[in-house]
Amino acid sequence: MRGPVIAGTDGSLAALRAVEWAAEEAVFRRAPLVIAHAIPRWAVDIPVNQSPEDDERARIMLAEAVSMSWARRDGLEVTTEILDGRPEEALAERAADAQLLVVGSRGGGEFASLLMGSTSRALTARPPCPTVVVRESSAHGEVVVEITGAHGQDPVLAFAFEEAALREAPLRAVHPWSHPKRRRHEDDLPEERRLLTDVLAGWRGAFPDVAVVQDLPHDRHRERLLVEASERAAMVVVGAHGWPVGLSTPASHTLLRRAHCPVAVVAR
């Protein structure tokens, strides 16, 4: 039996938006939904003063999230959990056997849109399972996956093809490339096209009903290209270690900060 879809919430509007998205995803996957809230009990090995009101506030917050997840989703199995510990650590531990972890990203307003919550930032740096950061969402559109050509991308492709199949959506395989040499890019295009075709070949056979679009932009600004692709997408899928300078760097956070759809980060 596959694990649940887990949605982390802190009661914010961004988190409630993520809960709503997670409920829809749980329906797609025919999976139970667990809505979790973490309360730090310790700080530097010293107990944090907690009052009974803290747990009561958490229960009220979770009840509100359950009401939102049940709206228009009859039959969805929803449970709630109050976790002990720092949110990023508690959610990572709880999601070890989950098929998906969903969190919100801070947003709303010109300045706030440049920020990314510390919990979502930590979880996507080392995702315990496929982890989705929700800013804006749409049930419609294609699934976009970045193809780097690096070894070990099978988990990323497996998740992207499965998501496209669940949504009955086309899959856009984006392979941004740029060679640091003085040659016409047209000379290298056939090589890059063969690489992309070879990477996708087995997956096309495993998911014959998924329509695949191959996209080979000649551009080294990978994050910008993916942000642009997110404008028409239901989801963008990337690998946690698929970036040349590491996902935890500010440059790579451009996608997570500015995407127009949920971004799924999959460990390689």
Side-chain angles (χ1 to χ4, degrees):
M1 180 179 176
R2 300 183 66 183
V5 172
I6 297 179
T9 184
D10 59 4
S12 66
L13 289 176
L16 290 174
R17 188 183 304 122
V19 168
E20 187 173 20
W21 187 93
E24 294 176 352
E25 185 70 14
V27 171
F28 275 130
R29 293 172 173 269
R30 299 181 180 179
L33 174 65
V34 177
I35 305 174
H37 173 69
I39 300 178
R41 308 288 188 179
W42 297 78
V44 197
D45 297 327
I46 300 174
V48 175
N49 289 329
Q50 296 286 341
S51 66
E53 288 78 10
D54 292 318
D55 285 332
E56 181 60 24
R57 279 194 293 268
R59 283 190 285 270
I60 294 172
M61 177 195 311
L62 290 168
E64 180 184 2
V66 169
S67 297
M68 175 172 288
S69 68
W70 271 342
R72 303 184 304 279
R73 297 176 188 87
D74 293 339
L76 175 63
E77 179 187 340
V78 184
T79 57
T80 63
E81 295 182 13
I82 298 177
L83 309 176
D84 289 345
R86 293 169 56 87
E88 61 271 26
E89 295 170 357
L91 286 171
E93 183 177 356
R94 177 62 183 87
D97 63 347
Q99 57 178 293
L100 197 66
L101 172 62
V102 182
V103 293
S105 177
R106 284 190 294 183
E110 195 168 322
F111 175 73
S113 66
L114 299 175
L115 304 176
M116 184 182 172
S118 59
T119 297
S120 52
R121 185 170 62 246
L123 287 168
T124 52
R126 297 192 176 197
C129 66
T131 299
V132 178
V133 177
V134 178
R135 279 175 44 81
E136 303 176 24
S137 64
S138 171
H140 306 289
E142 60 193 13
V143 174
V144 174
V145 60
E146 186 198 20
I147 306 295
T148 65
H151 177 71
Q153 266 213 305
D154 280 356
V156 180
L157 287 163
F159 180 86
F161 269 91
E162 179 184 28
E163 195 66 33
L166 287 171
R167 295 172 175 271
E168 299 181 349
L171 178 72
R172 179 173 295 272
V174 180
H175 176 48
W177 63 280
S178 178
H179 288 184
K181 54 188 178 182
R182 294 180 177 273
R183 289 177 57 183
R184 294 182 308 162
H185 73 265
E186 292 87 352
D187 296 333
D188 292 313
L189 181 57
E191 177 185 340
E192 298 297 335
R193 184 176 287 118
R194 280 194 300 272
L195 182 152
L196 183 55
T197 299
D198 290 346
V199 167
L200 294 173
W203 296 102
R204 284 179 183 267
F207 293 87
D209 295 331
V210 174
V212 179
V213 178
Q214 296 187 188
D215 196 351
L216 291 96
H218 182 260
D219 195 325
R220 65 183 59 201
H221 299 291
R222 309 166 82 175
E223 296 85 359
R224 177 176 58 79
L225 289 168
L226 292 172
V227 169
E228 291 175 357
S230 75
E231 293 179 2
R232 59 181 181 272
M235 175 185 289
V236 173
V237 184
V238 296
H241 303 293
W243 306 88
V245 288
L247 183 66
S248 60
T249 66
S252 297
H253 280 153
T254 299
L255 174 62
L256 291 165
R257 291 196 310 264
R258 299 191 180 277
H260 299 277
C261 69
V263 176
V265 181
V266 182
R268 293 178 50 214

